[in-house]
Amino acid sequence: DADVTQTPRNRITKTGKRIMLECSQTKGHDRMYWYRQDPGLGLRLIYYSFDVKDINKGEISDGYSVSRQAQAKFSLSLESAIPNQTALYFCATSDRWGGTYSGANVLTFGAGSRLTVL
Amino acid sequence: QQQVKQSPQSLIVQKGGISIINCAYENTAFDYFPWYQQFPGKGPALLIAIRPDVSEKKEGRFTISFNKSAKQFSLHIMDSQPGDSATYFCAASIGAGKLIFGQGTELSVKP
């Protein structure tokens, strides 16, 4: 099984619908993130959580919300989806101490969730 | 406000050639500069990283060159292979803070 599992992998929905993307991890990491990938714009941070009781907005949080249900679970919601939220969404986790890169965040990404809003 | 700017957006290199991807940053407080590699259908994965106290970091065919005064760093892929074809992202962070990514470079290595 993958260390970071995202569901669904693909989703097509209509404008105005509520969508939830789910992420679960078996890494035992404290930190979890949601990124959005768009061609030419790279990876942009939506929300991040450094522990279960900590939720922080990223660069592009408008129109999104998150819930950290447990150390291993972090979900992203679009309350009322719009077409410009069509993108590839990634969940990631990191270990606070980073192993080889002590003190830095080494991210482990899921395989991504492709969302299309019509 | 894009704190990390990456170029080029796409790059085509012949097998055996050198691939060079550049990044520039604005925040002088950044102290950790990783590169991530992403294959189609997969999430990005850490490739190599550097701290600003060194000017170069080499791991196999991959080298990061770092120029602190110019606030620039680059990834060099020597003897590029078709298997290196992927999207590459530079990033930066302050300590154990959140990573800020560049726009990505789609590399294609032709046989």
Side-chain angles (χ1 to χ4, degrees):
Chain A
D1 288 343
D3 293 327
V4 181
T5 301
Q6 293 184 229
T7 56
R9 293 293 314 279
N10 288 284
R11 181 72 183 269
I12 299 174
T13 191
K14 294 182 178 180
T15 297
K17 294 292 187 181
R18 184 179 187 274
I19 294 297
M20 179 180 286
L21 305 179
E22 297 184 321
C23 177
S24 63
Q25 54 121 341
T26 58
K27 299 284 288 185
H29 289 168
D30 291 329
R31 301 179 168 199
M32 298 188 73
Y33 311 78
W34 277 104
Y35 283 90
R36 168 178 171 162
Q37 183 177 0
D38 299 277
L41 296 178
L43 292 160
R44 293 182 292 167
L45 184 61
I46 306 172
Y47 271 96
Y48 61 104
S49 169
F50 281 179
D51 65 45
V52 175
K53 296 182 179 180
D54 175 75
I55 300 289
N56 303 282
K57 292 182 178 181
E59 306 165 69
I60 54 164
S61 58
D62 287 350
Y64 302 95
S65 63
V66 291
S67 174
R68 184 82 183 264
Q69 299 94 327
Q71 187 205 33
K73 296 184 181 295
F74 193 37
S75 60
L76 176 72
S77 294
L78 289 68
E79 295 301 325
S80 180
I82 56 176
N84 77 359
Q85 292 178 313
T86 292
L88 184 56
Y89 291 84
F90 284 101
C91 175
T93 72
S94 72
D95 188 319
R96 182 178 308 186
W97 302 115
T100 300
Y101 300 101
S102 179
N105 281 302
V106 177
L107 269 61
T108 299
F109 283 85
S113 295
R114 184 167 296 280
L115 176 65
T116 302
V117 184
L118 302 175
Chain B
Q1 179 185 358
Q2 187 70 41
Q3 295 192 58
V4 180
K5 295 183 179 179
Q6 183 173 347
S7 63
Q9 187 168 345
S10 63
L11 180 63
I12 300 174
V13 174
Q14 290 297 123
K15 178 182 176 181
I18 302 174
S19 303
I20 302 175
I21 304 170
N22 301 299
C23 282
Y25 63 96
E26 299 171 2
N27 190 341
T28 55
F30 286 145
D31 61 359
Y32 171 65
F33 302 90
W35 285 88
Y36 280 73
Q37 180 187 53
Q38 180 186 29
F39 292 108
K42 306 290 186 183
L46 179 66
L47 179 63
I48 186 173
I50 197 169
R51 292 211 183 266
D53 53 346
V54 297
S55 60
E56 186 175 281
K57 174 82 173 290
K58 184 176 181 179
E59 290 185 2
R61 295 184 294 107
F62 299 90
T63 299
I64 300 177
S65 296
F66 187 83
N67 186 330
K68 189 173 182 178
S69 61
K71 293 188 288 184
Q72 295 176 347
F73 59 110
S74 59
L75 176 68
H76 296 237
I77 306 175
M78 311 299 289
D79 186 26
S80 299
Q81 299 296 313
D84 297 329
S85 297
T87 299
Y88 293 81
F89 294 98
C90 62
S93 70
I94 302 170
K98 60 187 186 294
L99 278 172
I100 304 298
F101 285 87
Q103 295 90 331
T105 296
E106 189 171 341
L107 171 66
S108 178
V109 182
K110 299 299 185 185

